Amino acid sequence: MNVFKKYSIKHIFFGAFSFFLIVVLIVITLVSYHFSANELIKTTTEYQKSNLRLLSTDMDNRMKYIQDISIVLSRQQNLRNVARGNVFYTQQLSLTNELSNLVYSIPALHSVEVYMKNPPVDSFQYPVRYENLSTGMEEEWFLDLNSVLYDWIGKREVDTISGEQSVISYARLMNTSRGNLQAILLLNLDPIILQGWLRQYSDSTNLVILDTDGTILATTGSREIGDDYYVDRLPSSIENTPYTFMEDDGDLIVAATIPANNWIIMETTPYEEIIEGSRLMAGSLVVIGVISIVFALFVTFFLTKRFTDPILHLVRTMKNYRLNESSDALPTGYKNEFGQLFQGYKELISRSETLHNSLIEQNKRQREAEIKALQANINPHFLYNTLDQLNWSAIEHGYEDMSHMLELLGKMLRIGLSKGESIISLDDEMKYLHYYLQIQKIQKGELLDYEIDIPKELLHYYIPKLTFQPFVENSIIHGFQGRRQGKVELKVREQEEHIIITIDDNGIGFKTIEKNGPNKETGGYGINNVVERLDVYFGKQATINVKNRIEGGTSVTIRIPKVRDRNNIENIKFNNRERLE
């Protein structure tokens, strides 16, 4: 029979709605339980991975510290003298005292062992022990050590006053200057100390350190798990650490390597412990869900309208936007995320218009520069032939200085024209400046002195051509005005990813300028041209500072990025333009 005909509408509506709410509540509870369990696993995994990263870094530093100690000891002259033999007993006793003091001063060290050809008679003085070199060469770990010279050889048993004890050893071969094996140095680490380092991070979780053979070196926590448990669960290689996986039998395992010795740190967490909170939350959701679903029906419509109206307004404004045209006003008074969204849209529009205007201005400047370049274009062959004819004419008339100056001028022009290239190597720039200074030297004689200091390894970098000559010319023409003698010093150095050029003179001084500063017009056309070209190519990455020296004269400091490839400078220009806009 049709239920709508048999039962009253009130009962049907109430029953159907109740059934719908129960189904929704069950679905929400199951989904929440599943989602929260997954999130707890994910959160726990990320937390454990973060902790293992910190622990791995800390353990790596501690292991490297032990390795550094071995390096220092292997280079100790007293140890090498004793290893060579033929030393006095006092020297042997002094070495033993030094090694003992080292062990006592470093809590992590358990003892020190030295294998040498002629060990002292009194070879065992805890915590220092001397053994015959042939004994060490018979050990299993020596075969692997012989190919790498130094390495962690893992857990081993050593004799002590109280009997055999387990230690974790780091070994280093000591060779003579001819490459012959002289001694073997072993630094023994106390496993209890290693376990104490793990407990500093967590005393309740199950942490374990395994060596490259899968042997447990140290462990924390209350779970008693054998070596096979960890060895069977280790991947063949851990390239990207921390490594993590969830087992079918219910354990979350996170592993990371210690780079200093390729040991592996593992942490295991039972699945039941991770999802315990999800189970409690699922029970609470059943109670809260009954109340929340009813209340949600009344507030959903109101909240939906409140949330969607501002977004729809913004969408309409974006659709109707036209560049450089006034658009619809956005709502005001929002101080939450909607206010940030509206403000971000306004800033985006402002930046777009600024970028558009900047591109127009840049295209205008580029066209003007191209016109100037065309106006300044000279036929290089005509110029070279003319200078060559003048040079021969000067030689015929015996004007050797004039001939030399014309020859230098020709070399300058060849570099200056550079087949139309605006970017040249530092080598060519230095040659150009050297030719220019030689011309000035011929003209001024002993009144001018100069010095150029640039490392050869910097000559392959590229810079805009004619960057240095205007500053040197300014020093000679203006800086030495009214003086009998003058000297110009140019130094080029590298500083991380920048090249630092310093041009010093002992002239009359100069008004301080800075690129893009208030005195940009100071220094004449040549210097201003350099400032503007560096600004176009490098933006704020390049700086020019001119100041008066305390001892008299001018100091120019130019800082530009390193350019290893001429073609890459266009990318630098594009990136600078994006940052500026």
Side-chain angles (χ1 to χ4, degrees):
M1 183 181 295
N2 195 325
V3 294
F4 290 97
K5 295 180 179 178
K6 184 176 181 180
Y7 301 103
S8 65
I9 295 177
K10 180 177 68 174
H11 293 157
I12 293 175
F13 182 79
F14 181 78
F17 192 69
S18 299
F19 176 78
F20 173 76
L21 288 179
I22 293 173
V23 172
V24 171
L25 178 60
I26 293 174
V27 171
I28 291 177
T29 302
L30 293 177
V31 171
S32 299
Y33 173 77
H34 179 73
F35 178 78
S36 62
N38 290 337
E39 285 299 310
L40 282 174
I41 294 174
K42 180 179 178 181
T43 303
T44 303
T45 302
E46 292 300 321
Y47 174 76
Q48 292 182 359
K49 289 169 64 176
S50 177
N51 276 351
L52 280 189
R53 288 192 187 97
L54 295 175
L55 179 57
S56 174
T57 301
D58 181 60
M59 296 296 293
D60 183 61
N61 293 332
R62 294 175 186 268
M63 296 299 104
K64 288 181 178 178
Y65 176 64
I66 301 299
Q67 296 173 8
D68 293 340
I69 293 175
S70 72
I71 296 175
V72 174
L73 290 178
S74 66
R75 296 176 180 175
Q76 190 180 40
Q77 192 61 40
N78 195 14
L79 175 58
R80 288 190 173 272
N81 290 337
V82 175
R84 282 196 296 265
N86 299 325
V87 295
F88 294 107
Y89 175 77
T90 55
Q91 290 180 278
Q92 298 176 1
L93 182 60
S94 175
L95 174 62
T96 301
N97 291 336
E98 290 178 7
L99 295 179
S100 298
N101 292 334
L102 176 66
V103 173
Y104 293 141
S105 63
I106 301 176
L109 286 181
H110 174 273
S111 57
V112 175
E113 297 179 71
V114 183
Y115 291 83
M116 60 181 66
K117 292 182 179 179
N118 298 308
V121 177
D122 189 9
S123 61
F124 184 76
Q125 300 183 26
Y126 184 81
V128 180
R129 187 176 66 177
Y130 303 99
E131 295 282 354
N132 196 288
L133 183 59
S134 60
T135 303
M137 296 175 66
E138 294 175 357
E139 297 288 345
E140 295 182 1
W141 46 261
F142 178 78
L143 297 177
D144 296 331
L145 185 66
N146 194 32
S147 60
V148 295
L149 300 182
Y150 52 86
D151 197 4
W152 289 90
I153 59 177
K155 183 179 286 189
R156 49 193 289 270
E157 300 294 326
V158 297
D159 293 329
T160 65
I161 299 176
S162 57
E164 287 193 350
Q165 291 185 3
S166 296
V167 295
I168 302 169
S169 301
Y170 178 78
R172 177 176 291 274
L173 300 184
M174 295 173 54
N175 295 327
T176 64
S177 58
R178 296 184 178 180
N180 298 323
L181 180 61
Q182 185 179 44
I184 305 175
L185 174 66
L186 270 68
L187 299 182
N188 297 323
L189 190 66
D190 194 338
I192 297 178
I193 296 297
L194 188 63
Q195 184 170 325
W197 290 346
L198 292 180
R199 293 187 184 278
Q200 290 178 1
Y201 280 82
S202 177
D203 194 21
S204 59
T205 56
N206 301 298
L207 288 170
V208 63
I209 294 182
L210 307 172
D211 63 11
T212 54
D213 296 329
T215 303
I216 296 178
L217 302 179
T219 183
T220 65
S222 58
R223 297 182 69 185
E224 295 183 0
I225 304 177
D227 293 7
D228 295 340
Y229 176 86
Y230 297 103
V231 173
D232 295 341
R233 286 156 179 78
L234 279 177
S236 57
S237 63
I238 302 180
E239 298 179 355
N240 299 320
T241 60
Y243 169 86
T244 178
F245 64 95
M246 176 67 75
E247 283 201 322
D248 295 336
D249 58 1
D251 276 351
L252 171 65
I253 298 178
V254 181
T257 59
I258 302 175
N261 45 26
N262 290 326
W263 290 351
I264 297 176
I265 307 175
M266 292 183 63
E267 180 175 359
T268 60
T269 307
Y271 180 76
E272 297 297 329
E273 293 182 5
I274 299 176
I275 64 172
E276 181 64 26
S278 296
R279 292 179 176 176
L280 296 176
M281 185 187 67
S284 301
L285 282 177
V286 174
V287 178
I288 298 175
V290 175
I291 302 173
S292 300
I293 291 176
V294 176
F295 178 75
L297 294 176
F298 293 96
V299 300
T300 298
F301 177 79
F302 175 78
L303 292 178
T304 301
K305 183 175 178 59
R306 287 292 183 179
F307 279 120
T308 56
D309 283 351
I311 297 177
L312 293 175
H313 193 146
L314 178 60
V315 171
R316 288 194 299 270
T317 303
M318 293 172 64
K319 288 183 178 180
N320 298 328
Y321 171 75
R322 297 293 181 272
L323 186 64
N324 293 327
E325 293 183 4
S326 59
S327 58
D328 298 337
L330 293 174
T332 58
Y334 285 93
K335 296 182 179 180
N336 52 13
E337 287 79 1
F338 289 120
Q340 297 175 8
L341 185 63
F342 295 150
Q343 183 63 30
Y345 174 73
K346 293 177 182 177
E347 293 177 356
L348 178 62
I349 296 303
S350 177
R351 291 184 62 187
S352 299
E353 294 177 351
T354 302
L355 175 61
H356 180 262
N357 296 332
S358 175
L359 291 175
I360 293 176
E361 179 64 24
Q362 183 173 357
N363 290 333
K364 179 181 178 182
R365 290 173 59 188
Q366 185 174 355
R367 288 196 299 271
E368 291 176 352
E370 291 173 353
I371 293 174
K372 289 181 180 180
L374 290 174
Q375 292 174 346
N377 188 21
I378 302 175
N379 189 325
H381 296 290
F382 169 76
L383 192 55
Y384 297 153
N385 293 335
T386 303
L387 288 175
D388 188 57
Q389 293 174 4
L390 292 174
N391 183 26
W392 282 108
S393 177
I395 294 174
E396 291 177 357
H397 290 81
Y399 302 143
E400 295 182 0
D401 288 346
M402 180 63 70
S403 173
H404 191 196
M405 292 176 67
L406 290 171
E407 182 182 358
L408 292 172
L409 181 59
K411 293 180 179 179
M412 288 177 60
L413 289 174
R414 289 180 188 274
I415 297 176
L417 292 174
S418 304
K419 298 181 181 180
E421 297 288 348
S422 58
I423 305 300
I424 62 175
S425 65
L426 259 176
D427 189 17
D428 289 339
E429 180 75 6
M430 289 297 105
K431 289 179 180 178
Y432 182 89
L433 183 61
H434 182 66
Y435 297 149
Y436 171 77
L437 287 170
Q438 281 188 303
I439 294 175
Q440 295 296 327
K441 182 71 174 178
I442 294 173
Q443 180 182 0
K444 299 183 181 297
E446 298 300 327
L447 299 180
L448 173 64
D449 190 14
Y450 66 90
E451 180 180 343
I452 299 177
D453 179 12
I454 175 173
K456 292 183 179 181
E457 59 268 19
L458 301 182
L459 295 176
H460 66 281
Y461 291 112
Y462 290 90
I463 63 171
K465 68 181 178 181
L466 305 184
T467 298
F468 307 151
Q469 187 268 345
F471 294 98
V472 176
E473 180 181 1
N474 190 80
S475 297
I476 296 174
I477 296 177
H478 300 291
F480 300 151
Q481 187 175 14
R483 299 176 63 91
R484 294 185 58 83
Q485 288 184 327
K487 182 177 181 180
V488 179
E489 298 180 358
L490 185 142
K491 295 181 181 179
V492 182
R493 295 291 184 266
E494 60 179 333
Q495 185 183 78
E496 295 178 353
E497 290 302 315
H498 287 78
I499 297 175
I500 308 299
I501 303 99
T502 304
I503 304 173
D504 295 335
D505 65 61
N506 59 353
I508 60 175
F510 193 66
K511 186 175 181 182
T512 302
I513 67 171
E514 293 184 1
K515 183 173 78 67
N516 297 328
N519 299 319
K520 185 178 177 181
E521 298 299 328
T522 306
Y525 174 79
I527 293 179
N528 288 330
N529 181 266
V530 174
V531 172
E532 185 157 343
R533 283 190 293 126
L534 292 183
D535 182 55
V536 170
Y537 282 113
F538 304 111
K540 294 182 179 180
Q541 295 188 65
T543 60
I544 299 177
N545 182 266
V546 183
K547 64 181 180 180
N548 290 326
R549 303 170 64 196
I550 298 176
E551 60 272 23
T554 306
S555 178
V556 179
T557 302
I558 304 174
R559 182 175 180 267
I560 59 177
K562 291 180 180 178
V563 179
R564 297 173 176 83
D565 186 351
R566 180 188 287 112
N567 298 326
N568 287 343
I569 200 164
E570 293 298 329
N571 296 330
I572 297 177
K573 289 170 61 178
F574 178 77
N575 294 333
N576 288 332
R577 185 173 68 226
E578 281 193 333
R579 282 194 292 269
L580 180 62
E581 292 159 354

